[in-house]
Every structure is written in structure tokens, then in C-alpha cells.
Amino acid sequence: MSRDPYPSIGEYAFLSDCHSVALVSRAGSIDWCCMPRLDVGSMFGRILDWERGGFCWIRPTADHEIQRNYVDDSLVLETQFRTRGAEGRLFDCFAMRRGGATEPRQQLLRILEVTRGQMRVQVEVCPRFDYGEVRPWVRRHAPGIFTAIGGNDAILVQCDHELARMHEHDIAGTVSIEAGERLRLAITSYKPEEIDVDIPRRERATELDRRLDETIAWWHAWARNIARRDVAEAAGARRSAIVLKALTYAPTGAVAAAPTTSLPERVGGTRNWDYRFTWIRDSHFTVRSLAEIGAEDEADGFRRFVERSAAGSAESLQIMYGVGGERRLTEIELDLDGYRGSRPVRVGNGAATQHQFDVYGELLDLAWRWHERGQSPDDDYWRFLCSLVNRAAEIWTQPDAGMWEMRGKPRHFVQSKAMCWVALQRGLDLARESMRRAPTRKWRAARDELRATIDRRGYSKKMGTFVQAFGSTELDASLLLLPAFDFVPWDDERMVRTVDAIGERLTRDGLVLRYSTESGLDGVGGGEAPFVACTFWYAECLAHQGRIDRAREAFDRAMAASNDLGLFSEEYDPRTGELLGNFPQGLTHLSHLTAALAIVDASHPEYAADRASRT
């Protein structure tokens, strides 16, 4: 084994069926897989511990070249292998059902088709349940039929070629495949009590082939919802939209921030977090972007999810939830080596108990956008919204942890204050246009006082810019979001100067940092690389300000931070070219989508007018 066997994060591809998730390396190894939900203990997880984590690998035994791509507008991965005498292509996906994603097959499907010559292939299935803690009990039931059971996890492994049980816990074999033939491997998730009673029969090869075709067709059908001329012209926008859809947990409408945990923001560092949860902020950005391009079902699904999860009350609202609506997201550390030695490895997230006041503005803005599309709140939803606005009016004077989830002392972050203003303003707008009863005098007084306070304490006359927090001289990339919620116009002189200052002081090699970590005020320690989403926000601001050449330059720099499949991570190290942080990152993809559309709008004003008329 090589000294550092871990592939770079950017070498992975992403699979999902809106329930389960997996990462497939460029070499054809599944090194991360969580089934039947994206937030359960991993079944394959050697991306976090190469020796203990488990994997599923299909690869030629001979030296070979590799190319890969997604099949058109789908989340079906095609990896092409070329040896000296043979060629083949490996298709990887989670099998989808015709008609919807709410009832998944819970099946990871791998089909290798040889197109030229004879290819000898090594197949290894080495499951390790519960983040590598459990080495499963593997049994062979018939040729090509195996079960693996451990704890509360169980899978059925079926292959149309003969494999063997290896070392009690693994399944492996070497198979020769001729041109025109296929090798089919299917891994299906079961409950242990179900699989132990009735071992299913091996499914027909033709049925597995049909499922591959059906999965491609399912993604194509979904992508057709966004096949509009403005989206088609925006570079990579449809790929980002597909990723955002894939991060949506179909049964509830929740949107996960990422499908992984503890991929480091700096290799060897400690900024390693579990992102397999739904943040109100990120999810609102996601559904707002998807609704703008035509995927309105996702917007309504998340709106309902938040109302249910918060029990219809602002007092019960958290900043984040499990994708099933779970409230207890206790953070613990696992005894794993971590990606390239990056420890600790965390599951759960302690930020769930933080106070982040921007969430009130996010939810009211979502309701306002939904109203603009002709969907006014019903009585129950209006009562929930009123409780949110009342809460924003009461707590805006208090400090919070901010949108970056600072673990230091709470502060008066300008972005948090501005989003409380958004909650009050959107509440007033909705009350007026929906002709609803509300304490509008109270809301209006709080709104005006808050606005005056931000103008006085959140803006530095000396610097000529907005600042990170009251009394601070620091900048923060979250300030780039102020005009996106109508707090200030895009071309307001203060905003233009703020954008320029961020470009000068928070930019490294053309990419934007979230904020300066040198002060240590975030309470975490250590540095971090540029945050790709912030660079897209920067490009979006420039585009709306009419500085289109600079916008394209920033956008292209951020686009260069993706991998060969158009997938973005959380951060990017311009010195090494490595993608860093959890992957793929939903916030980066939605920021890419909005920036791409902003540049198209700035270049072709008729697109913006057309979209505005639809809204």
C-alpha cells in the first residue's frame, strides 16, 4: 500500500437517490456509502479510515486508463476503462423508481459492460457497518448471492458472476468478461430481521439492466423541468441543480448541506464537521434557487418540513434538524484516523443548539417568495409566520453565533441583524398583501429601530463599508448577501464599496475567504482555505452592479475550483488545487447557480424580464 492511499477529495463522484448517498473514486471504488438514509452510520467509509472503513471496488486487473462522466443530465456515473487489449464502461447509480423518489429501491447498482476485447476484472465488496465499527457476518446462500449482517444493518449482495466469501467478512472474485457481456452487481439494504427470515432470489440480469435505464430516464425527466434557455446558457447550472435535488431527502423535503462528515477544511486540521443535516439557511437558499428555475415542488416541500419540525412555533425553532426532522443532533467524536489523518472525526453537530437569528429572515423570505408565486399562507401557516416575526422583533437586540456558527463569544453580527430586519419587512409585506391581521404597528417600530441601528453601528464611516459585527473593523463575506434580501440595493454606494473592500482584503488568489481567522474570534483555531460559495456571491454582486467583466472573472475563478464532473466542495486551496471540506457542498452549488443566472441576466436583460414575468 502506498504511503498515502487516500485519493484527493476532488477525485470522487457523487451518487444519490434522494435517500442514500455514495462517493465513487476515479479508480472505481465506493469509499463512502450511507444506506438507507444519508445520515446513518456508513456501510463503506474508508475515506475516513483507509484500513477500517470498508469499500466496494470494481476494476480491471491489468494496467488501464480512466475517463469518466455523468450520463447526460443524470446522476448515473459512467467510468470508462481502457487496457491494452480491451475497453469497458462501468455504470454506477442508486436505482430509481418510475414516478418518484419517495419509495426508493434502496439499491446500489453497478454494471460493467465490456465493449471491446476481453477484460479481466477484480470485484471486492468489503462492508464495514457503523463507520467501520462492525465487521459483518457474511454468508453465501447461492452462486452470486450473499448477505452481510451486523448490528441493525443488513445488505443483500448479488452478482451474476461467481464470487466467494473472503476472510469471513468480505466478498471478492476475479471475473473475465467478453465484449458484449456485462457484469452486474447490486447491493440492497434490508432490515436484519427481514433478510434473515427470507433470503430474496437473485434478480434477473434484464431487470437490473432495465433499472439502469429507468434511473437515467428518471433524472432526465426531472432535469427537463429546468431546461429553459436562460438556465441552459448558464455555465454548469443544470449540474448544480441536479446536485441540489440529490441532496433533498424525499420523504420529508429536508435538504442536507452535504452527504459527508468530517472531510477537513484543512488536511490535518481540526475543522471537521458533520454536514448531513438540514440547515434552515442553506435549505432556504437551495429551494429559492430551485424554485427560480422551475422546481417549485421542492420549495413547498421544505416549507412544510420546517413548519412540522418547529412544531409550528418560533420558540421551538432550531437552526438545523436531522433530515427526518430530528432535533437532537448530539456531537460525538469517533475513534477513526480521519481523512489523511484529519482528526477529530465527528458525527452529529453541536451547532444545533446555537442561536443564529438570521433563520427568521430566511423563513419569512421563503414565505414571501412563495406568495409571489401565487401561494398565500393559510391560517395555520400564517400563525407560524407571525410567531417568527414577533420573535425577530424581540431578540434582535441580543448577540448570536452568526451564520458561520462561531464557537467563540456571541457577537452582534450585521448579517444576523439584517436578516431580522428582513423578517420584519417580509412580515409587513405579507400582512398587507394577504390582508391578514397582525401587530403591524409593533413590527414597523421594530423594523425602523433595527434599520437605524444597523446604519449607525453596522457601517463604518471611516472605512466606507459595512462591517462584520457592531464595533468591529473586520469584513465578512456574509455581507455580500445583504442585497439578495433587499436590505440594500445592489448598486448602493455603501454596498459597492463593501464589495470592493472584500475583493481587496478577503481575496486569496482570486477566491474569497469567509472572514479573517487570524483574530481567533471564531473559537475554533487554525486557518482555512477560501470558501468557494463566497466567491460566487462576490461574482453575483458584481454582475448585479453592472461590472460584468469583473463578475465573469470571479465566476470563472470559482468555476475552476470544481472537479472534472462539475462538483464543488466547501473550500478550495489555490496553492495545491485541492478541494477541501465536505463534498459535494450544497451551499456552493446553489451559490454557483444564482451567480450563473445573475451573469446571464446581466448579459441578456430580456432573460431577467422573462423570469420576472413568470414570477
Side-chain angles (χ1 to χ4, degrees), residues 34 58 233 373 512 549 562 601:
C34 296
I58 297 178
E233 185 172 327
R373 288 176 167 80
V512 179
D549 290 339
S562 70
D601 287 348

Side-chain angles (χ1 to χ4, degrees), residues 463 465-468 472-477 479 498 501-502 505-506 514-516:
M463 295 168 57
T465 69
F466 291 103
V467 292
Q468 182 184 58
S472 171
T473 58
E474 296 288 334
L475 292 169
D476 191 306
L479 299 170
T498 301
I502 288 173
R505 292 173 52 183
L506 289 184
R514 294 190 296 175
Y515 52 86
S516 173

Side-chain angles (χ1 to χ4, degrees), residues 40 55 270 277 411 416 456 460 480 514 597:
V40 299
F55 62 95
T270 60
F277 308 111
R411 302 169 69 199
S416 296
R456 185 177 70 255
S460 169
L480 296 169
R514 294 190 296 175
L597 293 176

Side-chain angles (χ1 to χ4, degrees), residues 130-142:
D130 195 16
Y131 305 106
E133 185 72 20
V134 178
R135 296 164 65 89
W137 177 28
V138 172
R139 290 182 291 173
R140 179 183 181 276
H141 300 275

Side-chain angles (χ1 to χ4, degrees), residues 376-596:
S376 294
D378 59 23
D379 291 345
D380 289 336
Y381 191 42
W382 177 246
R383 281 190 289 271
F384 175 56
L385 293 176
C386 282
S387 73
L388 295 177
V389 182
N390 285 328
R391 181 70 173 160
E394 294 165 1
I395 54 84
W396 73 262
T397 58
Q398 302 174 22
D400 74 338
M403 72 171 292
W404 301 128
E405 299 174 355
M406 305 286 197
R407 298 200 172 194
K409 184 179 179 180
R411 302 169 69 199
H412 293 278
F413 291 101
V414 170
Q415 193 268 346
S416 296
K417 306 298 184 190
M419 292 308 295
C420 286
W421 178 91
V422 170
L424 292 160
Q425 182 62 57
R426 298 298 194 225
L428 289 165
D429 293 340
L430 282 167
R432 182 188 68 251
E433 295 213 2
S434 300
M435 293 183 289
R436 292 279 187 175
R437 295 184 63 182
T440 54
R441 181 176 298 179
K442 170 187 172 182
W443 292 356
R444 192 174 293 109
R447 179 201 63 183
D448 294 344
E449 183 183 358
L450 175 51
R451 182 60 184 248
T453 304
I454 296 173
D455 288 344
R456 185 177 70 255
R457 301 183 60 193
Y459 176 78
S460 169
K461 292 183 179 179
K462 182 178 179 180
M463 295 168 57
T465 69
F466 291 103
V467 292
Q468 182 184 58
F470 290 175
S472 171
T473 58
E474 296 288 334
L475 292 169
D476 191 306
S478 66
L479 299 170
L480 296 169
L481 296 172
L482 297 182
F485 296 94
D486 301 328
F487 180 76
V488 293
W490 295 97
D491 58 357
D492 184 288
E493 290 183 1
R494 297 169 300 170
M495 196 65 221
V496 172
R497 288 193 295 267
T498 301
V499 171
D500 287 341
I502 288 173
E504 293 171 6
R505 292 173 52 183
L506 289 184
T507 299
R508 303 289 183 272
D509 296 299
L511 297 171
V512 179
L513 299 166
R514 294 190 296 175
Y515 52 86
S516 173
T517 59
E518 295 176 0
S519 65
L521 291 174
D522 61 8
V524 180
E528 63 180 25
F531 206 77
V532 184
C534 297
T535 309
F536 282 125
W537 297 347
Y538 180 62
E540 182 182 7
C541 281
L542 290 169
H544 284 296
Q545 291 169 355
R547 300 189 279 181
I548 191 66
D549 290 339
R550 287 182 59 187
R552 287 198 182 103
E553 182 180 353
F555 182 84
D556 291 344
R557 189 69 186 92
M559 285 292 291
S562 70
N563 72 358
D564 58 309
L565 296 171
L567 302 179
F568 292 98
S569 191
E570 182 177 21
E571 299 180 9
Y572 180 80
D573 188 339
R575 296 170 301 173
T576 63
E578 283 203 81
L579 281 66
L580 297 170
N582 286 303
F583 174 85
Q585 171 73 300
L587 182 61
T588 312
H589 278 277
L590 68 91
S591 302
H592 162 237
L593 183 58
T594 55

Side-chain angles (χ1 to χ4, degrees), residues 192-208:
E193 61 272 20
E194 293 175 347
I195 199 170
D196 202 33
V197 171
D198 183 18
I199 305 301
R201 295 181 179 180
R202 181 167 59 200
E203 294 174 289
R204 292 181 179 179
T206 53
E207 172 61 19
L208 297 180

